Amino acid sequence: MNRQLSQETKAALAEETPLERLGTPEDVAQAIWFLASPAGDFFTGQVLSPNGGYLI
């Protein structure tokens, strides 16, 4: 999704994110893994937004 962005733009986005880094495909995969696992079996009708706090 961010492939076309310059390194400067990526660095600026990371700086604006509370976790001070950009997300990775693994970050999203872990959220999906959680929801699909027994640990997530009591979650219903929720919207998870793995964004490092960028959108609060």
Side-chain angles (χ1 to χ4, degrees):
M1 183 171 121
N2 295 332
R3 188 179 332 187
Q4 76 283 1
L5 300 177
S6 70
Q7 287 303 105
E8 290 175 348
T9 301
K10 289 179 185 178
L13 283 171
E15 191 174 305
E16 293 176 21
T17 303
L19 293 182
E20 297 182 351
R21 68 178 182 85
L22 296 179
T24 65
E26 289 78 15
D27 292 323
V28 176
Q30 287 179 15
I32 294 167
W33 182 259
F34 168 75
L35 289 175
S37 77
D41 69 356
F42 203 66
F43 282 77
T44 60
Q46 301 302 310
V47 176
L48 294 184
S49 184
N51 61 44
Y54 187 74
L55 300 174
I56 296 179

